[in-house]
């Protein structure tokens, strides 16, 4: 699945919000990496929690799924899981394709 | 688009929602869904920004995220629900779906409803609209209650104004609005022009008239002379028997108070003429309105006891006007000199006669009096 693009359908009335949404996700990815390097689990938990809330609201279910995994990983201190999930998030953001309807 | 949204758009009073969320994407998402339904949405990133927005213009509803930097959503909810100005604004707490503990805390903090993250469009709209309907129903009921209260007060004011001069009624009602205690105002020293009017010979007339007819006649007479008093913006302070006390320059200043008093006297006599003609035609005894006017300092205040009180004017000017009225013949106006000096240019000199130095009953010395035949 990671070889192909991730296709997301977003409601038409949210179209003009998406560029800012995507920009903020990329910032979020940077912040996740910084928090992981600093082993700041509380920051990772909060970032994961935020991803969980905002992703599916806009139609990006995978953002919410990854966010929940990060939140859980931060709670349990599972560094390997956190690293893997952040890598998946990077891949997702690089490949996601958005359609509006 | 819903009916409510259409109505809001047509009336220009969109339902206003304040979205409080530190995640700008989430706040923008919620705001977009609300504006799509014809509502107006504002966003705030933390409790401080929310309070600032509320103080500028209170919204009709608040969507409040629990996880905020600084004071969290529960703290803000509690604070808003305990402040009288914001207690009635519905608050929807936005919490994680599985977070039961947050819901319990939210209920304790006074939240009206909850919305789960991730937010589903249909659920958000349904919850917000339910609260919107409740809010609008409550606002409509409140508006009806206020309208009924205003109507009740207006009915009371109208009834009240029939028993005291309308201008006095306004003053007394204004006292009530200020601190709920009428008649507490301290007595004031005021400069007044006092007018006394009386139906000369009325006592004799009543001796030859049936009591129930006397009431009707008095009402005819008072209708004419109170109308004349009000036409010239006088304030009626007392009505006893067939006698009326009208003050000018009180409780509001009137630079031309003496002129107003004289014109009122002229109108009283002129207005009474057809009434008198009707009485005469019915075989009534000769009578007519006699008027006395004097000016000077007086005390304006509440006189009486806690059981019976009169808001009136007392003082030498009032006594002098009363004595002059007692001396006046039907259709005669007696003026104390200071009043005459104020109005002499407006009077027909053919109708004015200097009566000389006159001693008034109960008063030491004499005063100069002018007679005007009306």
């Amino acid at each position: 699945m990671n070889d192909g693009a991730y296709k997301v359908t977003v409601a038409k009335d949210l179209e003009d919000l998406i560029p800012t949404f995507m920009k903020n996700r990329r910032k979020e990815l940077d912040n996740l990496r910084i928090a992981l390097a600093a082993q700041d689990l509380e920051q990772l938990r909060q970032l994961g929690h935020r991803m969980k809330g905002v992703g599916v609201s806009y139609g990006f279910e995978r953002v919410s799924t990854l966010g929940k995994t990060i939140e859980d990983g931060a709670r349990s201190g599972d560094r390997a899981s956190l690293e893997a999930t952040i890598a998946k998030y990077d891949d997702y953001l690089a490949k996601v394709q958005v359609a509006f309807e | 688009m819903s009916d409510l949204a259409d109505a809001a758009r047509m009336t220009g009073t969109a339902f206003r929602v304040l979205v409080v969320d530190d995640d700008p994407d989430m706040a923008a998402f919620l705001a977009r869904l609300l504006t799509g339904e014809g509502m107006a949405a504002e966003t705030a990133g933390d409790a401080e920004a929310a309070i600032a927005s509320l103080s500028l213009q209170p919204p009709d509803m608040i969507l409040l995220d629990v996880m905020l930097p600084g004071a969290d959503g529960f703290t803000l909810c509690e604070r808003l629900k305990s402040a009288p100005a914001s207690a009635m604004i519905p608050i929807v707490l936005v919490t994680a779906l599985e977070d039961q503990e947050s819901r319990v805390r939210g209920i304790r903090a006074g939240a009206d409803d909850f919305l789960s993250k991730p937010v589903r469009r249909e659920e958000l709209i349904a919850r917000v609209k339910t609260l919107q309907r409740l809010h609008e129903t409550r606002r409509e009921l409140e508006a009806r209650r206020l309208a009924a209260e205003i109507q009740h007060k207006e009915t009371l004011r109208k009834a009240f104004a029939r028993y005291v001069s309308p201008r006095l009624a306004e003053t007394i009602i204004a006292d009530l609005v200020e601190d709920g205690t009428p008649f507490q105002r301290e007595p004031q020293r005021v400069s007044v022009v006092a007018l006394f009017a009386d139906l000369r010979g009325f006592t004799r007339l009543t001796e030859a008239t049936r009591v129930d007819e006397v009431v009707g006649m008095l009402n005819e007479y008072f209708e004419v002379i109170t109308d004349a008093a009000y036409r010239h913006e006088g304030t009626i302070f007392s009505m006893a028997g067939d006698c009326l006390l009208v003050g000018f320059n009180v409780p509001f200043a009137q630079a031309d108070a003496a002129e107003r008093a004289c014109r009122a006297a002229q109108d009283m006599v002129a207005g009474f003429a057809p009434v008198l003609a009707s009485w005469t035609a019915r075989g009534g005894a000769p009578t007519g309105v006699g008027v006395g006017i004097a000016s000077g300092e007086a005390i304006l205040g509440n006189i009486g006891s806690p059981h019976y009180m009169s808001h009136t004017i007392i003082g030498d000017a009032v006594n002098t006007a009363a004595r002059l009225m007692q001396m006046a013949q039907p259709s005669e106006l007696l003026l104390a000199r200071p009043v005459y000096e104020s109005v002499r240019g407006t009077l027909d000199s053919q109708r004015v006669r200097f009566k000389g130095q006159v001693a008034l009953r109960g008063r030491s010395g004499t005063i100069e009096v002018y007679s005007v035949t009306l």
Side-chain angles (χ1 to χ4, degrees), chain B residues 37-68:
Chain B
E37 292 297 317
M39 301 174 196
E42 281 179 40
T43 59
D46 57 25
E48 204 176 315
I51 288 165
S53 172
L54 267 144
S55 64
L56 283 176
Q57 194 182 1
D60 297 310
M61 184 187 295
I62 300 171
L63 278 187
L64 177 58
D65 187 34
V66 168
M67 289 179 68
L68 292 175

Side-chain angles (χ1 to χ4, degrees), chain B residues 168 196 222 235-240 243-247 310-312:
Chain B
L168 274 184
F196 263 102
F222 275 124
T235 299
I236 295 173
F237 285 100
S238 86
M239 186 184 277
C243 179
L244 190 74
L245 166 60
V246 186
S310 174
H311 188 75
T312 191

